[in-house]
Amino acid sequence: MLKLLKTIMRAGEATVKYPFAPLEVSPGFRGKPELDAAQCIACAACASACPANALTILTDEQQDTRTWQLFLGRCIYCGRCEEVCPTRAITLSENFELTVTNKADLYTRATFHLQHCKQCGKPFAAQKSVDVAVKLLTQQLNAEQNEQFLRQQASICPGCKQHAALVNGCVKNLSSGNREAQ
C-alpha cells in the first residue's frame, strides 16, 4: 500500500485544474468566431460556405441595410467562414466558454449600408464592398486619376450593365450585319 502511495505521489496530477485555473488551449484551436465589422464588406461568402447555416445575410431594401448575423447555437466551429473571408474579417478565437442565460446573447449582428444603382436606383450591394472594389481596381491599374471613373462604373448594378451591354451589342451587331448585306 505504501508503495502505491509513493507511485501516485511521483506521478503528479493527471487532470487539469479547470475551472479553478484557466485552461490553455492548443495551437489551432477553433473557438468562437469573432467578426471585425470594420474589415467586413458583407460579401456573403461566409454565409454561403457555412454548412450549419449559422451565418446569415439579410438584405432589407426598405431600410437600405444588409445585416450579417451569426447564431452560435448552430455553429459547429468548422472554420469554413474564416477560410473563405476575403478580407480576414472573421477569425476563430480561443474562447470556448459560451454559456449564456439568455438565448438572444447567442446572436452576433453587424449592419451595413447598401449602394444604390445610379441608373435604376435599386440597392444592389453593400457600400463597403463597392468601395473596396474601387480601391483594389485603382491600385491594380495604378491609375489614381481614373478613380472617379471606376467609382461611377462600380455604382451601376449588374442588371443595368447587362442591359446596356445587350443594347449596345445588338446595335453594333445589327449595324455590322447590315454593312455585310450591302
Side-chain angles (χ1 to χ4, degrees), residues 28-33 45-55 70-72 74-84 90-93 98:
F29 178 79
R30 297 187 302 215
K32 178 184 176 185
C46 55
S48 298
C50 184
N53 292 330
L55 284 164
L70 167 67
F71 178 51
L72 289 172
R74 291 191 61 91
C75 185
I76 59 174
Y77 310 100
C78 63
R80 288 286 300 139
C81 54
E82 183 180 36
E83 291 172 10
V84 300
I90 301 175
T91 56
L92 295 180
S93 68
L98 305 174

Side-chain angles (χ1 to χ4, degrees), residues 30-175:
R30 297 187 302 215
K32 178 184 176 185
E34 299 284 343
L35 174 75
D36 181 4
Q39 286 284 110
C40 183
I41 59 173
C43 65
C46 55
S48 298
C50 184
N53 292 330
L55 284 164
T56 55
I57 301 283
L58 303 171
T59 302
D60 185 1
E61 292 184 10
Q62 308 298 352
Q63 300 279 329
D64 287 336
T65 60
R66 181 170 283 171
T67 304
W68 179 95
Q69 179 175 282
L70 167 67
F71 178 51
L72 289 172
R74 291 191 61 91
C75 185
I76 59 174
Y77 310 100
C78 63
R80 288 286 300 139
C81 54
E82 183 180 36
E83 291 172 10
V84 300
C85 184
T87 61
R88 306 276 185 235
I90 301 175
T91 56
L92 295 180
S93 68
E94 293 182 350
N95 185 8
F96 63 92
E97 298 172 326
L98 305 174
T99 307
V100 295
T101 57
N102 187 2
K103 187 177 178 180
D105 294 339
L106 291 174
Y107 287 92
T108 303
R109 291 182 182 89
T111 304
F112 304 94
H113 295 287
L114 294 175
Q115 172 75 39
H116 288 270
C117 177
K118 297 289 185 190
Q119 291 186 357
C120 66
K122 293 181 183 176
F124 67 95
Q127 181 131 18
K128 286 179 77 175
S129 181
V130 173
D131 292 342
V132 167
V134 169
K135 185 178 177 183
L136 288 173
L137 281 171
T138 303
Q139 287 175 352
Q140 186 172 3
L141 297 174
N142 217 6
E144 285 79 22
Q145 67 275 12
N146 292 338
E147 183 175 353
Q148 192 64 24
F149 173 74
L150 291 171
R151 186 164 299 283
Q152 288 174 350
Q153 289 294 313
S155 298
I156 300 172
C157 72
C160 290
K161 285 180 185 176
Q162 183 179 23
H163 183 275
L166 286 174
V167 169
N168 292 338
C170 288
V171 169
K172 190 182 287 183
N173 288 341
L174 287 176
S175 64

